[in-house]
Amino acid sequence: MKLLLVLLFATVYAKHEEYSGWKSFYIKPSSHDQLKDLGNLISKLELDFYIHPSLDREGVVLVKPQYQDDFVKFVNEENMKYWIHADDVKIQLDNDDLMMESFQQEARSSKSSSFNYDKYHTLDVIYEYLDSVAQKHSDTVKLVTPATSYEGRTLKYLKISKDNFQSGKPVIFIDGATHAREWITIPTVTYAIHKLVENVTEPDLLDKFDWILYPVVNPDGYEHTHVKERMWRKTRSTDQHVAGKICRGVDINRNFDFEWNTVGTESHPCSDIFPGRKPFSEVETRVVHSIFNEHHQNMILYLSVHSFGSMFLYPWSNNGSLSDRGLQLHMVGIRMADVIHELSLKHFPRYRVGNTALVIDYFSSGSSSDYAHSIGVPLSYTVELPGRGSKGFVLHPRYIKPVVTETWAGFAAGARMAGQLFGSR
Ligand code: 0X9
Ligand code: ZN
């Protein structure tokens, strides 16, 4: 036992080396000018926002060692409120690993079920689960493997339908892990699969709708967050820039052909919001695109699941204007948020609902949800799941179950309301 613990410590502390000396800060601009000044600093100091600040909520930003002095000088000069989030990101990640490992040990000894909601699973385990559900429920579930990722992993999603999409029912599409580090998004999508075919308590959801569930849009990135850099966000491609081998990857949520590369992007490949050299440059983006292409005529609801910040965000994100569907987008968003609020743990913040650019005070282009809406999907959202204050992406596994349960209740309510509004398009 002692040896095991020593080994565990040794393995844990050998990880996350690249984050040694990195710091993350809470930051709370108090005016639009300050927000703008901060925005102008992103590329100069290679800032990586865990969560963008807005005027009513602080953000969290990751700062590399070589830029910390400049960053602190800037916030002091601006008189901007800021305080430490993690004094040494490596140490914080090490501690998170230890805490998760001990929680998972306990969960392992108390349960035998292979695919549970007590831990974050590796890609292999998630893929085995998708294979096995498709095999066991072949009457309703079809496994689709449309392509391989940049690094050669199979891309996999499930189509769930009572009649193999034959009768043209309204389609609902949910995807997760577009951003690799947003681990909590994956179980919310697999839990939807579980509730539609394994533990069916609301049969109307499969009677009325056809479903597309894509838990891991970015498997290369997800794998990378397990083995190397926990805070990786993008794909792992190297072919998008002359310096692509030094700085890999493209932000899939800036790579769609909607106002591509016009706002909220960085042309430097090291940036976490690098949009690629052209729209749909990434095979991972093209696969989501192909789903829109095939189903957009019947698709009534698209949920692009991200973390964190507890928000339902809707188009348009590039300039804050509302689409013709503004009212419906808002109503269905509020409905989902209300249902979640009823079930939610009291210390989780209440969801905010609104136009992306207005809610997060940050404009962006090339996202999947704007793209889907632009080609006619009436209800299209970026969903930012809850993150627990200081942890954010590293949400303790004890919260997986409550988050997936409340989120599914919200999504199911959203589906029903979408059906009432757009069921007979
Ligand atoms: O920046 C993003 O891609 C999303 N936030 S995250 O922290 N998950 O990276 C917000 C996307 C909202 N913007 C659009 N939907 N355009
Ligand atoms: Zn995201």
Side-chain angles (χ1 to χ4, degrees):
M1 184 64 189
K2 219 171 175 180
L3 179 69
L4 237 158
L5 271 179
V6 172
L7 276 174
L8 182 61
F9 266 75
T11 339
V12 163
Y13 283 107
K15 265 179 87 183
H16 307 306
E17 274 311 330
E18 39 289 288
Y19 296 108
S20 201
W22 292 38
K23 290 184 195 297
S24 48
F25 296 88
Y26 288 104
I27 178 135
K28 196 167 186 332
S30 56
S31 67
H32 283 286
D33 282 348
Q34 286 193 342
L35 273 168
K36 211 167 133 219
D37 293 346
L38 187 64
N40 291 337
L41 210 68
I42 297 179
S43 63
K44 201 169 143 222
L45 302 190
E46 295 180 26
L47 301 178
D48 179 5
F49 282 93
Y50 285 179
I51 178 163
H52 280 274
S54 51
L55 291 182
D56 63 340
R57 262 188 219 186
E58 64 269 10
V60 178
V61 61
L62 184 64
V63 188
K64 295 178 181 175
Q66 65 270 35
Y67 296 122
Q68 285 164 10
D69 286 349
D70 287 348
F71 178 76
V72 170
K73 194 167 157 242
F74 163 82
V75 281
N76 281 330
E77 274 170 13
E78 289 262 342
N79 225 346
M80 208 181 281
K81 239 174 119 184
Y82 75 102
W83 60 104
I84 280 286
H85 171 260
D87 196 39
D88 187 319
V89 173
K90 174 186 159 33
I91 293 174
Q92 191 205 33
L93 289 171
D94 288 343
N95 290 339
D96 287 337
D97 280 358
L98 277 174
M99 172 266 297
M100 288 222 224
E101 187 54 40
S102 70
F103 178 83
Q104 282 162 197
Q105 297 270 11
E106 272 170 41
R108 262 198 291 278
S109 53
S110 65
K111 285 192 196 69
S112 58
S113 151
S114 59
F115 199 83
N116 56 46
Y117 290 85
D118 295 321
K119 66 176 290 189
Y120 294 103
H121 296 288
T122 58
L123 186 68
D124 287 350
V125 174
I126 297 160
Y127 273 10
E128 266 168 38
Y129 174 70
L130 298 182
D131 295 346
S132 86
V133 176
Q135 218 174 36
K136 281 190 210 139
H137 300 273
S138 54
D139 50 334
T140 48
V141 182
K142 195 171 153 230
L143 176 76
V144 187
T145 55
T148 51
S149 69
Y150 186 82
E151 291 184 329
R153 296 181 176 84
T154 307
L155 298 168
K156 288 191 186 188
Y157 63 87
L158 298 185
K159 286 171 83 166
I160 306 184
S161 166
K162 284 210 150 161
D163 60 8
N164 197 20
F165 286 67
Q166 286 310 303
S167 56
K169 289 181 195 173
V171 172
I172 296 168
F173 177 22
I174 310 177
D175 66 25
T178 295
H179 291 143
R181 63 196 178 190
E182 296 167 10
W183 287 8
I184 183 64
T185 61
I186 297 171
T188 62
V189 186
T190 58
Y191 193 72
I193 297 167
H194 176 66
K195 291 301 295 173
L196 287 169
V197 294
E198 292 184 311
N199 173 15
V200 184
T201 51
E202 299 153 294
D204 63 304
L205 291 172
L206 203 49
D207 291 338
K208 288 192 207 133
F209 308 110
D210 290 337
W211 296 78
I212 299 171
L213 298 160
Y214 193 177
V216 192
V217 168
N218 178 10
D220 294 349
Y222 184 62
E223 187 66 16
H224 190 72
T225 61
H226 276 267
V227 298
K228 193 98 177 95
E229 288 170 272
R230 175 63 185 87
M231 291 302 159
W232 191 258
R233 167 181 167 101
K234 301 183 287 179
T235 61
R236 294 290 298 157
S237 61
T238 58
D239 60 352
Q240 292 300 301
H241 197 277
V242 279
K245 286 226 160 54
I246 301 165
C247 281
R248 284 169 169 244
V250 166
D251 183 352
I252 298 172
N253 218 26
R254 301 289 182 280
N255 192 228
F256 284 80
D257 195 5
F258 175 79
E259 297 291 323
W260 179 81
N261 200 17
T262 52
V263 62
T265 52
E266 295 283 341
S267 50
H268 197 282
C270 299
S271 165
D272 263 315
I273 47 174
F274 176 56
R277 77 182 138 76
K278 59 176 187 193
F280 300 125
S281 63
E282 305 303 281
V283 60
E284 293 82 359
T285 318
R286 291 198 295 276
V287 166
V288 176
H289 182 209
S290 71
I291 296 172
F292 292 141
N293 265 350
E294 196 182 333
H295 296 284
H296 72 91
Q297 269 159 353
N298 292 331
M299 197 179 287
I300 58 168
L301 175 63
Y302 169 55
L303 298 160
S304 174
V305 187
H306 290 249
S307 79
F308 61 94
S310 305
M311 299 180 272
F312 281 98
L313 305 171
Y314 55 76
W316 306 109
S317 312
N318 61 314
N319 60 13
S321 65
L322 288 183
S323 87
D324 296 347
R325 302 291 191 199
L327 179 61
Q328 291 99 330
L329 280 162
H330 200 67
M331 285 186 344
V332 176
I334 294 277
R335 171 83 186 130
M336 292 190 277
D338 277 352
V339 168
I340 292 175
H341 183 67
E342 282 303 308
L343 293 174
S344 197
L345 296 174
K346 290 308 156 221
H347 50 274
F348 278 164
R350 197 185 168 113
Y351 268 77
R352 287 180 292 171
V353 179
N355 171 285
T356 315
L358 302 183
V359 170
I360 62 179
D361 254 312
Y362 163 75
F363 293 4
S364 57
S365 53
S367 73
S368 61
S369 57
D370 277 2
Y371 179 77
H373 198 56
S374 77
I375 59 161
V377 177
L379 299 169
S380 182
Y381 300 87
T382 302
V383 185
E384 298 282 359
L385 296 173
R388 281 279 290 132
S390 72
K391 293 287 184 261
F393 299 117
V394 194
L395 187 68
H396 190 290
R398 85 164 75 94
Y399 293 115
I400 300 175
K401 221 174 267 160
V403 169
V404 301
T405 321
E406 67 173 40
T407 307
W408 172 244
F411 288 179
R416 290 193 181 98
M417 197 165 168
Q420 285 160 8
L421 290 170
F422 297 104
S424 52
R425 258 201 323 149

